[in-house]
Amino acid sequence: MVNGGSLQRIKTGFNKNISGWLLMLPPLILFVFFIWAPLIQAISLSLYRTNGVILIEFVGFQNYSEVFRHPDFLPALKNTFTYTIWSLVIGFLVPIILAIIINEVRRGRSFIKMAVYLPNILPGLAMVFLWGFIFKPGETGILNILLSKVGIGSQQWLSNPQWTIPLIIMVLTWKAAGATTLLYIAGLQGIDSELYEAAIIDGANIFKRLRFITIPCIFNLARTLLILQIIAVFQILYEPLVMTNGGPNNASISIMQLVFRFAFERFDYAKASAVSVIISVILVILTLAYFKISKPKEM
């Protein structure tokens, strides 16, 4: 049992922190309403046979079993991991390189920042339609028209299964790299300039300064943005949906697109919820594994 002294200390501590609790209350309510409630609802739907979102009959893990046996599941899962790997190959280093270059520029830095961030302002679907016309196969595609002016024949681009995912990731990187670049620039500007001055006095060239000062100082920031990028790309949906509709021959279908097909084409919300839960479990496992492997680097 809690004695009177302990109860008084708890009450005093709560009264001291009441303002903090009141500040935390609105975001906590929003978090529960928009995150935990839909997650619990999705888990519940995935365990039932449903009519729309109405629960009809408890079927346990039958929906999961049918999802795993679905012919599109394994291609969608494989493609989603391929999207993630290509995003790390193409998209992870681009914002870091841009941030380092912009940080070294002395004139026109604000204009360059604006130019780099500009694609983030464009509506997502408008951007996807724009790049869809650019990469359109045949003689009517914008890129093929430009290539024909220099004597290069038309290419298949998004109709080529080997190029589809890398091209979609390139478009995604063009769209999203600007915001990440600004975060890295903020991290770079927080590095003490005396470290660079001391390194220059010691004769360190730019590559040694990058290796021993810049990279260690932004390591924790890059580490956090890396896992956020993996989570975001793992949920890629409207880029392949609009640009290729998962084709050719399921070469670009993502696992989120499979959720879309179950929910809005077949109106099978139970299986859509089952796929969503599978995605959540995979992301939790990837996140825990990543943080287990990559411990925070103390400065």
Side-chain angles (χ1 to χ4, degrees), residues 66-77:
E66 293 178 3
V67 164
F68 287 131
R69 294 199 305 266
H70 194 279
D72 291 343
F73 178 75
L74 287 180
L77 186 63

Side-chain angles (χ1 to χ4, degrees), residues 82-200:
T82 305
Y83 278 116
T84 304
I85 293 170
W86 272 107
S87 75
L88 299 180
V89 173
I90 296 176
F92 181 67
L93 292 179
V94 169
I96 299 177
I97 295 171
L98 287 174
I100 292 173
I101 293 173
I102 294 173
N103 195 55
E104 295 295 326
V105 171
R106 293 292 175 261
R107 292 186 179 182
R109 182 182 296 178
S110 298
F111 174 78
I112 298 174
K113 286 182 182 179
M114 182 188 69
V116 169
Y117 188 73
L118 186 61
N120 291 78
I121 301 174
L122 297 177
L125 283 178
M127 177 271 298
V128 171
F129 279 116
L130 169 66
W131 282 98
F133 282 116
I134 291 175
F135 288 128
K136 186 177 180 181
E139 298 179 356
T140 58
I142 296 175
L143 185 55
N144 280 336
I145 292 174
L146 295 176
L147 291 175
S148 67
K149 301 299 183 182
V150 293
I152 300 177
S154 63
Q155 305 295 316
Q156 293 302 309
W157 302 120
L158 293 174
S159 295
N160 185 340
Q162 295 181 345
W163 284 100
T164 304
I165 291 180
L167 289 176
I168 292 175
I169 289 299
M170 190 190 74
V171 172
L172 188 63
T173 301
W174 179 85
K175 174 71 168 64
T180 310
T181 299
L182 295 184
L183 292 176
Y184 280 117
I185 291 174
L188 291 173
Q189 292 177 346
I191 301 175
D192 191 350
S193 60
E194 293 182 357
L195 295 175
Y196 289 108
E197 293 172 1
I200 293 172

Side-chain angles (χ1 to χ4, degrees), residues 40 48 60 100 125 158 160 164 169 177 187 224 235 241 266 286:
I40 294 172
Y48 281 81
I100 292 173
L125 283 178
L158 293 174
N160 185 340
T164 304
I169 289 299
T224 302
Q235 301 175 75
L241 178 65
R266 305 175 187 179
L286 288 177

Side-chain angles (χ1 to χ4, degrees), residues 44 47-49 55-62:
S44 176
L47 298 174
Y48 281 81
R49 182 171 60 84
L55 307 182
I56 303 297
E57 179 187 2
F58 181 79
V59 295
F61 293 100
Q62 179 180 333

Side-chain angles (χ1 to χ4, degrees), residues 255-272:
I255 197 164
M256 281 299 296
Q257 192 174 349
L258 190 60
V259 175
F260 180 88
R261 289 182 177 179
F262 277 128
F264 301 109
E265 293 181 3
R266 305 175 187 179
F267 301 101
D268 191 343
Y269 293 102
K271 289 187 179 63

